[in-house]
Amino acid sequence: MNIVKYLSELIIPLMVSTIVLNGLLNKTDVYESFVRGAKTGAKTVIGVFPTLVGLMAAVGIMRDSGLLNAIGQTVGRISEYIMVPGAVVPVMIVKLFSASAATGLVLDIFREYGTDSCEGLMASLFMCCSETLFYTVSMYCMEIKVKKTRWIIPGALFSLGIGTIVSIILCNM
Amino acid sequence: MNIIWGIMIIGGIVYAALTGRMSDISDGIMNSMKDAVSLSITMLGIMSFWSGIMEIAADSGIIKSMTKKMSVIINFFFPNIPKENKAREYISSNFIANMCGLSWAATASGLSAMRELKKMQNPNEVRASDEMCTFLVLNISSLQLIPINIIAYRSQYGSVNPWGIILPGLIATTASTLAAAIFCRIRCRKQ
């Protein structure tokens, strides 16, 4: 555990120092480049703010009304028949909309069933192989004013579906 | 997107009305907006920082040499992006940042990649190009190699083997990324 933790703590400082050092060695104006990049970054954040507000409002309403959990639990009840503990399914569905809400559910599962139980393991795996589809698609598409997302959502759902199936198989092995 | 967003709002409010949680909704919206602002302030700092670091990496040529190393992958998924296009650099740095779990750095380069891809299109086009779709689907399939957050939570909640998740996690995320890759290739061939 310690070595993994240590490495993961190391990765950011290591990456930053490598990039800056390499810049200096290549005689780049590192500070000027940094400021130019930071300006673009700041503009981007201000640009995505309205999108973010819209998304968080919608996700907040879904979460606080209990609809998100209700959907998860309904699907969870159905999934009991295919060897998947019902408690875990909401994680997968909630994760599509909100990483923090999904993390909350995973921690609940850890408390209730233990981290090394089948439920705990499956929930951890679901978190590994999924991404917040809703945020990613709307942030990236809004940024460049793309309205028709074509096969992004079906494609993403397909890949997450495969990830889920593989996680379930791994846990039942 | 319009429909999904609308359904989320209306669905949530109707559900709240049926279950008598209307007051939660008003509080919820207020809280969500507070979260949105605090998240944006955090983002403003972190995104500016990573965009700055990425700019140094781009100016000093690191990204270019990494893009060369990754060109097999980029050519496979994005055969239509010209060799010298900047989008290739942003896409490779986004993939690398994602694999290392640096989600902020990934967002910074990911948005730049999308802007470059947009430049390849007709400016009035509102449909996503094949390249945009491929890029986003691969992105959502989760590329992170070591799920450090989950490992931390697992050890915090008393797992005997918190890092035991790495190997199965790697298998699961490889599977989802492979599925995404196959899907993208098939869809791009169709046109």
Side-chain angles (χ1 to χ4, degrees):
Chain A
M1 178 60 207
N2 284 328
I3 187 118
V4 174
K5 204 173 157 220
Y6 185 67
L7 280 176
S8 67
E9 279 167 2
L10 214 66
I11 191 160
I12 290 179
L14 201 68
M15 205 163 154
V16 172
S17 54
T18 315
I19 289 173
V20 174
L21 185 69
N22 188 284
L24 286 173
L25 291 178
N26 281 325
K27 302 217 162 49
T28 314
D29 300 322
V30 279
Y31 191 51
E32 271 169 44
S33 297
F34 179 85
V35 172
R36 189 161 5 97
K39 206 180 243 171
T40 325
K43 267 189 210 143
T44 308
V45 177
I46 293 165
V48 298
F49 181 71
T51 316
L52 200 67
V53 169
L55 285 175
M56 292 191 69
V59 172
I61 289 175
M62 278 255 286
R63 189 191 50 220
D64 294 329
S65 68
L67 182 64
L68 203 52
N69 279 333
I71 295 173
Q73 275 157 12
T74 316
V75 181
R77 241 171 260 135
I78 301 165
S79 73
E80 296 272 7
Y81 297 105
I82 47 166
M83 304 187 307
V84 187
V88 188
V89 179
V91 175
M92 200 68 204
I93 294 166
V94 171
K95 180 72 194 278
L96 297 178
F97 296 100
S98 157
S100 58
T103 307
L105 285 180
V106 171
L107 298 185
D108 285 345
I109 290 172
F110 284 175
R111 264 188 293 267
E112 199 166 323
Y113 301 92
T115 43
D116 300 314
S117 62
C118 178
E119 283 88 352
L121 215 60
M122 216 180 266
S124 313
L125 281 180
F126 281 177
M127 291 296 277
C128 291
C129 66
S130 64
E131 201 64 63
T132 45
L133 178 138
F134 186 63
Y135 274 91
T136 314
V137 173
S138 42
M139 282 267 260
Y140 281 45
C141 288
M142 278 293 187
E143 172 69 17
I144 54 165
K145 302 195 178 55
V146 161
K147 284 204 188 100
K148 297 259 169 4
T149 55
R150 293 177 64 211
W151 42 272
I152 296 175
I153 292 175
L157 286 176
F158 173 72
S159 91
L160 296 184
I162 297 289
T164 312
I165 292 169
V166 171
S167 310
I168 293 168
I169 294 171
L170 284 171
C171 285
N172 283 313
M173 266 184 342
Chain B
M1 227 45 239
N2 285 332
I3 297 167
I4 299 179
W5 193 79
I7 290 176
M8 285 174 78
I9 301 251
I10 308 290
I13 292 177
V14 169
Y15 187 82
L18 293 176
T19 51
R21 291 204 205 174
M22 263 329 201
S23 61
D24 288 352
I25 292 281
S26 340
D27 291 347
I29 294 177
M30 282 299 285
N31 283 328
S32 298
M33 293 308 92
K34 266 185 218 154
D35 289 346
V37 172
S38 59
L39 179 66
S40 298
I41 291 173
T42 322
M43 247 172 101
L44 194 62
I46 300 180
M47 277 273 276
S48 303
F49 176 75
W50 278 111
S51 302
I53 293 293
M54 285 295 183
E55 187 84 11
I56 300 178
D59 287 350
S60 63
I62 295 189
I63 291 183
K64 227 178 211 133
S65 62
M66 281 197 304
T67 310
K68 276 211 186 92
K69 287 194 187 104
M70 287 185 68
S71 62
V72 183
I73 303 170
I74 307 278
N75 287 339
F76 179 73
F77 287 115
F78 307 98
N80 296 329
I81 302 181
K83 272 267 172 302
E84 289 306 308
N85 198 299
K86 275 215 141 204
R88 295 167 67 96
E89 295 179 13
Y90 288 126
I91 291 172
S92 18
S93 43
N94 172 271
F95 284 173
I96 292 168
N98 259 323
M99 282 185 234
C100 302
L102 304 171
S103 51
W104 291 106
T107 312
S109 49
L111 289 170
S112 307
M114 288 300 270
R115 279 194 289 263
E116 290 299 322
L117 291 176
K118 176 78 184 173
K119 284 185 199 157
M120 290 170 57
Q121 271 187 322
N122 176 345
N124 297 321
E125 180 66 90
V126 291
R127 298 169 73 228
S129 64
D130 279 355
E131 284 77 22
M132 293 173 191
C133 294
T134 310
F135 177 61
L136 280 186
V137 171
L138 287 175
N139 227 309
I140 296 168
S141 76
S142 175
L143 304 161
Q144 187 175 3
L145 295 180
I146 297 175
I148 195 64
N149 294 339
I150 292 295
I151 296 173
Y153 288 132
R154 285 172 65 78
S155 77
Q156 196 182 327
Y157 280 82
S159 170
V160 275
N161 187 9
W163 60 97
I165 201 72
I166 293 180
L167 187 64
L170 208 55
I171 298 174
T173 188
T174 310
S176 68
T177 307
L178 270 180
I182 294 167
F183 189 94
C184 292
R185 287 304 293 163
I186 293 174
R187 281 313 303 254
C188 289
R189 285 253 170 84
K190 264 190 184 166
Q191 269 98 41

